[in-house]
Amino acid sequence: MEILRFTNVNDLREHIFRSPLEQHILLQIDDKEVTISPESVRRLQELASDTDSTLTYCGYREELPGGGFENHPVIDYQPGSVRDDFDFGSLVLLNAADVLAATEDFGEKESNYLDGGWYALRLRVTMGKMVVMIPECLYTVRKTDFRASGEKQHDYVNPRNRAYQIEMEQVLTEYLHDIGGTVDPNHEPVDYDMYPFPVEASVVIPVRNRRRTILDAVRSALDQEADFAFNVIVVDNASTDGTRELLAGVEDPRLIVIDVAESEQLGIGGCWNRAINDMHCGRFAVQLDSDDLYSGPDTLATIVGKFRSGNYGMVIGSYTLVDFEGRVLEPGLISHNEWSDSNGPNNGLRINGFGAPRAIFTPLARKFPFPNVSYGEDYAMVLRISRNYAIGRIFHSLYNCRRWEGNSDAALSVEKSNANNEYKDFLRSVELMARVRENNQTPGSHAGWQLFGTISGLGPDPDIWDDLEGPDYPDNDDDDDDDELPF
């Protein structure tokens, strides 16, 4: 079987029509140098036939420049694997008849997308069909991208890729319309003054073993200038390095320290829940990680002002990547301009982060608790809130995200990155199903329900929980922002 290099949807359809009748097409979806044996091709075909899979893919090996190989496993495709950067590897085996059926109404628009329509094709061809990931490394590619995970994670917000992002947003939005998964633009109202609170705002800082940076973060919060009352709630998650003792030495009545015992087994999300439900928590809870800083003394006032200017369940700002000397690191400002008031909640299913700092109307956080994990907890919250409530965005920098020396907080193994991506795909799957349900779809009446009923493997591997809630987790942050920021 020959390997067909994917260029665009029209060329793929023409190839199928011209070629001898074959059940499958082996498609290369990137430009890497690929080597695959006839035995591996047969393995792909046999498993695709045995499972009646419409799209089959597998792990692969990477050939290193200095010699040697390393395995590159991939993850299962879930209903929520709708991000455009899902890693299928270089090769996918497609059912030819399914490709023709899925692209029958495709036109020049799809083929003229900057990716040739691959994203649109794989969303459509997998609707109501079986997708199979083979947990075997069946081919070899020559490794060409040697950047750490933290350097790759911001590719999708690079201004140079803006035209591509706009096209991919259009593709996803059309797909969500077809499966009944779009968000109702009529957001539920929020009454900020329905309940009394001790202060207008609380800065929430979860921390574990950050003796070097915690006082910087606390001072950044306490030094905020505002015409309303606020406090700072630090949730010390069983620190053993002297962090707790440093906090005890801060003499400011606005600092509230919640001590968490190791036996409570809290992740970052659990720490947030403790702060949110504390009697001292203010009307708006505003995020600050324990090794980062607000960019100026007006950050808190700007966020609260944004809440008060509209009707928002959450407010999310923008941040700048810096080192510990304050020098700006590439790509600098992360503003997430791909968010729009009209389509942000839909497009949010395609991307891995939303921005920072994040702030939430406290009653909503009490109604929808954070998952008790140390990765993805904020992403889960933004997805849930954006389903029914408006999200206010601030597009100038409010926050300095400090990278540790050697970029140690952003150089993750393939296995760790896979675990993180698998968990976020799980969150997207749950959210997408919930949105379809809220749009009054009934089982069997819509493609969306077929999608959810026939793709197996919803949810991450059980071993992921150890990674997500590991005891020290100071550097669990590989994804772009919302939960990439370490304690």
Side-chain angles (χ1 to χ4, degrees):
M1 172 179 281
E2 71 170 303
I3 298 175
L4 177 65
R5 176 73 170 86
F6 179 77
T7 54
N8 60 64
V9 174
N10 281 345
D11 288 350
L12 177 60
R13 286 177 58 86
E14 290 181 12
H15 173 84
I16 295 173
F17 283 129
R18 291 196 314 265
S19 302
L21 185 61
E22 291 186 345
Q23 183 179 5
H24 298 114
I25 308 160
L26 186 57
L27 197 66
Q28 182 172 351
I29 56 177
D30 62 20
D31 57 0
K32 295 180 180 178
E33 184 177 332
V34 178
T35 303
I36 186 169
S37 68
E39 291 77 17
S40 289
V41 174
R42 283 198 297 272
R43 178 69 170 161
L44 282 167
Q45 289 179 294
E46 288 173 0
L47 291 176
S49 296
D50 288 345
T51 59
D52 193 25
S53 171
T54 193
L55 188 156
T56 308
Y57 63 107
C58 62
Y60 54 97
R61 294 173 298 273
E62 291 184 307
E63 182 180 356
L64 306 178
F69 301 85
E70 61 183 14
N71 288 343
H72 190 114
V74 293
I75 63 176
D76 280 318
Y77 194 84
Q78 302 180 53
S81 299
V82 294
R83 50 193 168 87
D84 57 79
D85 64 348
F86 185 89
D87 182 16
F88 291 100
S90 297
L91 299 178
V92 296
L93 191 74
L94 294 175
N95 182 292
D98 289 344
V99 169
L100 293 178
T103 59
E104 188 174 4
D105 61 348
F106 277 24
E108 289 299 321
K109 179 185 72 172
E110 285 79 10
S111 282
N112 288 331
Y113 283 138
L114 292 174
D115 71 339
W118 164 247
Y119 185 42
L121 168 62
R122 64 100 160 171
L123 287 177
R124 300 289 172 170
V125 79
T126 56
M127 287 176 62
K129 300 292 184 177
M130 180 65 70
V131 177
V132 170
M133 185 277 288
I134 303 173
E136 304 167 12
C137 294
L138 296 180
Y139 60 93
T140 300
V141 302
R142 179 164 294 179
K143 188 170 184 176
T144 57
D145 190 346
F146 295 90
R147 295 176 298 164
S149 58
E151 296 177 87
K152 302 174 186 177
Q153 69 193 32
H154 295 109
D155 286 351
Y156 74 98
V157 292
N158 190 315
R160 293 193 298 270
N161 300 327
R162 181 64 180 145
Y164 175 86
Q165 294 301 321
I166 291 173
E167 287 188 352
M168 298 305 101
E169 178 178 356
Q170 293 171 348
V171 170
L172 177 65
T173 303
E174 291 175 3
Y175 170 76
L176 293 177
H177 276 298
D178 285 349
I179 67 170
T182 54
V183 168
D184 186 339
N186 298 315
H187 300 294
E188 294 186 19
V190 179
D191 184 353
Y192 295 137
D193 300 310
M194 178 179 293
Y195 308 104
F197 286 89
V199 292
E200 181 76 349
S202 292
V203 176
V204 176
I205 308 176
V207 64
R208 180 183 177 102
N209 292 336
R210 288 294 204 200
R211 186 179 191 278
R212 175 181 170 185
T213 60
I214 184 58
L215 291 185
D216 290 345
V218 168
R219 292 191 188 100
S220 176
L222 291 174
D223 287 346
Q224 291 298 296
E225 299 173 358
D227 59 3
F228 50 80
F230 69 92
N231 60 24
V232 179
I233 301 178
V234 176
V235 184
D236 180 35
N237 198 1
S239 292
T240 59
D241 69 341
T243 293
R244 186 166 294 185
E245 290 73 17
L246 287 176
L247 291 169
V250 177
E251 297 182 358
D252 191 313
R254 297 173 298 166
L255 177 62
I256 312 298
V257 179
I258 300 174
D259 292 333
V260 174
E262 182 73 36
S263 60
E264 295 184 61
Q265 293 293 294
L266 295 189
I268 298 177
C271 290
W272 263 91
N273 292 334
R274 284 289 299 273
I276 288 291
N277 289 288
D278 189 84
M279 61 181 294
H280 299 95
C281 190
R283 180 172 283 106
F284 306 110
V286 185
Q287 168 253 339
L288 177 60
D289 285 347
S290 61
D291 53 358
D292 295 329
L293 307 170
Y294 290 142
S295 58
D298 60 344
T299 292
L300 192 59
T302 300
I303 290 172
V304 171
K306 183 67 176 181
F307 272 113
R308 291 292 186 179
S309 71
N311 193 258
Y312 304 112
M314 290 189 75
V315 168
I316 305 175
S318 302
Y319 66 96
T320 302
L321 286 176
V322 300
D323 63 18
F324 271 76
E325 302 302 320
R327 294 183 291 258
V328 176
L329 302 175
E330 290 293 334
L333 176 67
I334 308 297
S335 60
H336 283 284
N337 292 328
E338 75 279 356
W339 182 278
S340 65
D341 290 341
S342 61
N343 203 46
N346 296 318
N347 196 31
L349 291 169
R350 187 182 61 84
I351 61 179
N352 255 351
F354 295 102
R358 299 159 303 270
I360 187 168
F361 180 41
T362 297
L364 292 183
R366 290 173 175 171
K367 181 179 180 181
F368 308 114
F370 289 86
N372 184 32
V373 295
S374 292
Y375 176 89
E377 75 288 340
D378 285 341
Y379 188 79
M381 180 62 78
V382 178
L383 286 180
R384 179 60 190 89
I385 298 301
S386 67
R387 189 196 313 169
N388 302 113
Y389 300 90
I391 306 291
R393 283 301 324 275
I394 299 170
F395 293 102
H396 63 270
S397 185
L398 299 177
Y399 192 103
N400 288 335
C401 175
R402 299 198 290 184
R403 284 295 191 207
W404 288 77
E405 294 87 348
N407 212 29
S408 61
D409 56 338
L412 304 181
S413 67
V414 171
E415 292 76 12
K416 180 61 177 177
S417 293
N418 281 350
N420 289 345
N421 283 326
E422 190 170 25
Y423 183 61
K424 281 200 171 178
D425 282 354
F426 165 72
L427 295 175
R428 279 184 278 261
S429 296
V430 172
E431 181 61 29
L432 190 52
M433 284 188 277
R435 292 180 180 190
V436 171
R437 288 177 62 88
E438 286 201 4
N439 287 336
N440 298 316
Q441 302 299 324
T442 56
S445 68
H446 203 284
W449 286 107
Q450 296 172 14
L451 172 75
F452 301 137
T454 59
I455 295 181
S456 61
L458 173 62
D461 187 292
D463 291 339
I464 191 176
W465 301 108
D466 292 335
D467 293 331
L468 294 173
E469 300 175 21
D472 289 328
Y473 54 77
D475 300 323
N476 259 356
D477 57 305
D478 85 315
D479 83 351
D480 138 341
D481 43 51
D482 66 337
D483 13 66
E484 66 154 350
L485 308 173
F487 278 12

